[in-house]
Amino acid sequence: MTVLAIVEHDRGTITPASFGVLTAARNLAKQMGAKFEALTIGANADALSEVISKYGATTIHQAHNSALLDFGPDAWGESIAQVVRKITPQLVISSGTERGHEIIAQAAARLDLPAAMNCLEFDKNFTGTEPLKVVRARWGGSLMEESQIDAPIKLVTLANHIVEGVEDPTNSQIAVIEVELDDSVKQTFVQDRVERVAGVTLATSPVVVSGGRGVGSAEAFAPLEELAGLLNGVVGCSRAVTNNGWRNHTDQVGQTGTRIAPDIYIACGISGAIQHWVGAMASKNILAINIDPQANIVTKAGYAVIGDLHVVVPAISAEIRRRKNL
Amino acid sequence: MNILVCVKRVPAPGARINITPDAQQVDTAFLGFTVSPHEECAVEQAVQLIEKHGGDVTVLTLGPVEAEEQLRTAVSTGVAKAVLVPIDTQDWDPQRTAHALASVIAELEVANGKYDLILFGNESADSCGYQVGIRTALKLGRPIVNGAKGLELENGIATVRRESDAGVEIYKLKTPACVGVKEGINLPRYPTMKGRLASKKVAITQNAATGNEGGLKLITLRRPPERASNTKILGTGPDAASAVVDLLEELGVFK
Ligand SMILES: Cc1cc2nc3c(=O)[nH]c(=O)nc-3n(C[C@H](O)[C@H](O)[C@H](O)COP(=O)(O)OP(=O)(O)OC[C@H]3O[C@@H](n4cnc5c(N)ncnc54)[C@H](O)[C@@H]3O)c2cc1C
Ligand SMILES: Nc1ncnc2c1ncn2[C@@H]1O[C@H](COP(=O)(O)O)[C@@H](O)[C@H]1O
């Protein structure tokens, strides 16, 4: 029996989510009394075997094909499908990221197997041959689904940030597998790429000052911008705001926006609908500024100010400036 | 040019999601229904492409007959045709859904010719399966890229722009192709008066479909543990500013 971890990488650089995947795969293999093996796709990822062996994979499969120079969902999915056919693992686990979901779905479609994305828990008694019970995130994490995967080979992705990477080194064997890729799967390779400019983003900023429908207009975000500036933070918003065209979607927090985890989230004129909350709930502290003491965000936040944001936000900025002698 | 968009009817919960006593479904007694924001954007993108290149947009859904409401909403924003695949339950598992969608799309294409593009949402709002679009595309033998934040069509090539941690990636797919769209690609329009009238009149085609159950079975739904909330009210109105800045100092975000 085998548990196969798919190692997500970008042009040879391992992604942070992969460490959790390797650790979860190793734990599951231990529980099942199975071998823990890993797969990298493309020769540009061969050098990752060093770090993968630190996580205890006994065999590292390296899928090679001269076309595998960059990411391509069809080609990666087909590579996984061919490796799975060859080594017939009982469980295949990948990262719960955009790419992770995509390549597992691709492989599952090619193998005509079920797949469960964003798994949070796996049955602690699973031995490898029976149907696998998992708990997975629905509604972007607002709801949990207990479900059962009934197939000889189970394909899953692990929800992000659920399992922390823990090393447990071994001497891994390397097994190169030449995969065959026809022209049809080569179509969807990345053709071009504009690198991201480094800097604080909504996802990484320790302070987020966010506005909702209560802000009222695009112009009325100026005081929020000012407060964010004083705190070296960034401005976020709710979907009501992006739908009104007041701000760009890149600022949206929530299920279909960005997941954030700042030290403090200051939510101004936001009601805290579940789809918004799910994007903000990982914040270490939440301060709600709202006229409605019953608003969902007020009752769920650690701190709240009841009042009109148009008055409260400038007053906070004024107080900061006073204390900083600005 | 012809474009097909697949949408799924889902409840639109507000402050919290309630579950039915049998833990099988979201309790929709007091809820409206909608489609995923990603799918709203897929519809808008299709309409924009047709406005530029000419042709028709068709929306397709597999769901209860009430899903007609979501099809009519799409028509009110510029979609020409609507197809419903009626089922007796809220939804089918991803393998079964994709099987049904692919077979209905194949039937529609026999009658109308191939769709240059078939659009999906990046993931459905409720089940968040991340797979129905990919499974459907592969059954139809077409390339698919998910996560599109940009989509243009020129000379039979669909150019897809998507964001990754590394940067912005460009894909080029030969049509007929499929694309999974993400919110933010555009700003969906509101229905027009003309659109509303059209949506009342549009004939909704029904196509039956079958499909074997897939291997992913729902057992129960439950709510995640809730964060303990003992909200500390720092004050009312601008007088609270001082307490707020004290808090910011205490948390070390303002030095
Ligand atoms: C599938 C799906 C996905 C979704 N994804 C997202 C998502 O990613 N992100 C997201 O945000 N939403 C998302 N939504 C939408 C979500 O359901 C809500 O509609 C949205 O979050 C509401 O935004 P809001 O809180 O700004 O507006 P409202 O709900 O209208 O709340 C406005 C708040 O402002 C307060 N207020 C008004 N005036 C003032 C004032 N002067 N001072 C202080 N407070 C004031 C009011 O008391 C109220 O609490 C999604 C919905 C669905 C169905
Ligand atoms: N029942 C359905 N009817 C039509 N399209 C669907 C249905 N279920 C899923 N889809 C499409 O497939 C995408 C991905 O769904 P999922 O795999 O559930 O995340 C959705 O955004 C829709 O575009």
Side-chain angles (χ1 to χ4, degrees):
Chain A
M1 275 203 290
T2 306
V3 175
L4 181 68
I6 313 295
V7 179
E8 188 192 331
H9 69 92
D10 182 64
R11 296 181 177 174
T13 305
I14 193 163
T15 61
S18 290
F19 300 115
V21 168
L22 289 166
T23 307
R26 187 183 69 223
N27 293 342
L28 280 156
K30 209 170 275 170
Q31 154 185 344
M32 292 157 57
K35 284 181 291 180
F36 161 39
E37 304 187 349
L39 168 65
T40 56
I41 296 168
N44 58 357
D46 287 356
L48 294 181
S49 58
E50 203 173 312
V51 39
I52 296 168
S53 70
K54 288 202 186 113
Y55 285 81
T58 49
T59 302
I60 302 169
H61 303 276
Q62 299 178 336
H64 284 184
N65 180 296
S66 56
L68 289 168
L69 297 168
D70 203 341
F71 180 70
D74 281 289
W76 280 46
E78 177 60 24
S79 299
I80 295 171
Q82 287 181 25
V83 173
V84 166
R85 280 195 200 99
K86 185 158 183 242
I87 68 172
T88 57
Q90 276 60 43
L91 181 60
V92 180
I93 175 165
S94 183
S95 48
T97 59
E98 200 79 49
R99 283 186 178 182
H101 299 320
E102 194 176 27
I103 58 181
I104 285 294
Q106 280 274 354
R110 289 162 196 280
L111 296 161
D112 198 20
L113 287 169
M117 309 304 185
N118 273 325
C119 292
L120 304 156
E121 288 171 35
F122 302 93
D123 180 3
K124 300 240 161 17
N125 300 313
F126 180 60
T127 63
T129 46
E130 72 278 27
L132 169 63
K133 277 196 185 126
V134 299
V135 176
R136 56 175 292 269
R138 268 174 95 87
W139 279 104
S142 310
L143 213 58
M144 285 149 85
E145 163 193 320
E146 194 181 325
S147 52
Q148 181 167 300
I149 313 170
D150 198 350
I153 302 173
K154 283 91 176 167
L155 301 174
V156 301
T157 65
L158 174 74
N160 233 333
H161 307 301
I162 290 296
V163 177
E164 226 178 288
V166 178
E167 294 184 3
D168 185 3
T170 192
N171 285 322
S172 311
Q173 282 184 349
I174 306 292
V176 174
I177 301 183
E178 290 292 336
V179 291
E180 280 167 38
L181 302 176
D182 62 25
D183 287 343
S184 72
V185 306
K186 292 180 191 167
Q187 257 208 67
T188 53
F189 276 116
V190 175
Q191 296 288 312
D192 195 5
R193 174 154 119 185
V194 185
E195 301 290 324
R196 189 179 295 281
V197 245
V200 179
T201 64
L202 180 58
T204 58
S205 177
V207 177
V208 177
V209 180
S210 212
R213 196 191 307 278
V215 175
S217 68
E219 298 72 42
F221 267 87
L224 277 71
E225 298 272 7
E226 191 199 7
L227 177 57
L230 287 167
L231 298 171
N232 293 318
V234 301
V235 170
C237 70
S238 73
R239 181 161 179 251
V241 168
T242 44
N243 267 357
N244 276 315
W246 299 342
R247 293 193 80 84
N248 208 297
H249 182 267
T250 45
D251 292 349
Q252 182 178 314
V253 172
Q255 179 176 347
T256 52
T258 302
R259 310 298 170 103
I260 59 169
D263 292 335
I264 185 158
Y265 183 56
I266 306 181
C268 314
I270 292 175
S271 65
I274 188 102
Q275 303 89 359
H276 183 81
W277 179 254
V278 79
M281 65 186 184
S283 307
K284 290 185 196 69
N285 296 282
I286 297 177
L287 166 64
I289 302 174
N290 203 298
I291 42 173
D292 177 7
Q294 301 305 322
N296 193 48
I297 193 113
V298 173
T299 56
K300 277 184 172 167
Y303 306 93
V305 172
I306 309 304
D308 181 351
L309 71 95
H310 300 105
V311 186
V312 176
V313 173
I316 298 170
S317 294
E319 177 64 14
I320 293 173
R321 267 190 260 103
R322 195 183 64 76
R323 293 198 198 178
K324 278 189 172 174
N325 289 321
L326 291 175
Chain B
M1 190 170 75
N2 290 316
I3 304 180
L4 180 85
V5 187
C6 293
V7 301
K8 180 182 186 188
R9 175 183 167 92
V10 297
R16 89 196 235 130
I17 304 184
N18 291 316
I19 300 168
T20 53
D22 65 1
Q24 295 296 303
Q25 280 175 42
V26 170
D27 184 352
T28 56
F30 303 104
L31 298 181
F33 287 83
T34 183
V35 301
S36 161
H38 301 311
E39 292 155 29
E40 279 176 11
C41 289
V43 169
E44 173 66 29
Q45 197 65 21
V47 171
Q48 287 185 13
L49 286 168
I50 291 299
E51 284 171 347
K52 193 164 165 199
H53 301 283
D56 266 343
V57 183
T58 303
V59 274
L60 167 65
T61 192
L62 176 141
V65 287
E66 291 81 11
E68 223 188 275
E69 181 194 348
Q70 280 59 49
L71 296 177
R72 290 192 193 276
T73 303
V75 171
S76 73
T77 58
V79 165
K81 298 176 189 159
V83 182
L84 172 72
V85 183
I87 57 171
D88 295 337
T89 48
Q90 276 308 310
D91 63 355
W92 279 0
D93 67 73
Q95 284 168 290
R96 196 178 183 195
T97 303
H99 180 91
L101 291 179
S103 68
V104 168
I105 292 169
E107 279 169 33
L108 294 172
E109 290 191 329
V110 169
N112 311 318
K114 278 212 160 110
Y115 296 104
D116 298 275
L117 275 178
I118 302 175
L119 305 185
F120 301 89
N122 191 64
E123 83 272 5
S124 58
D126 59 343
S127 55
C128 293
Y130 293 88
Q131 54 189 275
V132 167
I134 291 167
R135 289 183 189 274
T136 307
L138 265 67
K139 283 188 189 293
L140 295 166
R142 288 173 211 183
I144 178 162
V145 170
N146 239 4
K149 283 285 191 85
L151 171 60
E152 255 133 89
L153 200 59
E154 220 58 73
N155 305 320
I157 301 287
T159 303
V160 175
R161 196 171 58 78
R162 86 172 191 191
E163 288 159 10
S164 78
D165 288 341
V168 176
E169 302 169 344
I170 306 292
Y171 296 85
K172 290 187 185 292
L173 315 184
K174 235 189 256 133
T175 60
C178 302
V179 178
V181 169
K182 255 190 143 173
E183 190 183 32
I185 190 173
N186 55 41
L187 192 57
R189 71 194 67 189
Y190 289 101
T192 58
M193 251 342 262
K194 193 167 151 246
R196 280 187 217 275
L197 282 173
S199 74
K200 291 202 179 102
K201 287 196 207 131
V202 72
I204 296 193
T205 315
Q206 289 208 4
N207 281 47
T210 52
N212 295 330
E213 263 179 43
L216 184 65
K217 291 190 185 67
L218 186 137
I219 304 172
T220 53
L221 295 178
R222 63 173 192 252
R223 268 206 306 266
E226 268 181 40
R227 179 177 174 135
S229 55
N230 215 337
T231 314
K232 188 168 174 201
I233 305 287
L234 297 177
T236 306
D239 296 345
S242 177
V244 169
V245 181
D246 287 347
L247 170 71
L248 297 174
E249 276 181 338
E250 194 184 305
L251 298 176
V253 287
F254 152 65
K255 281 148 220 135

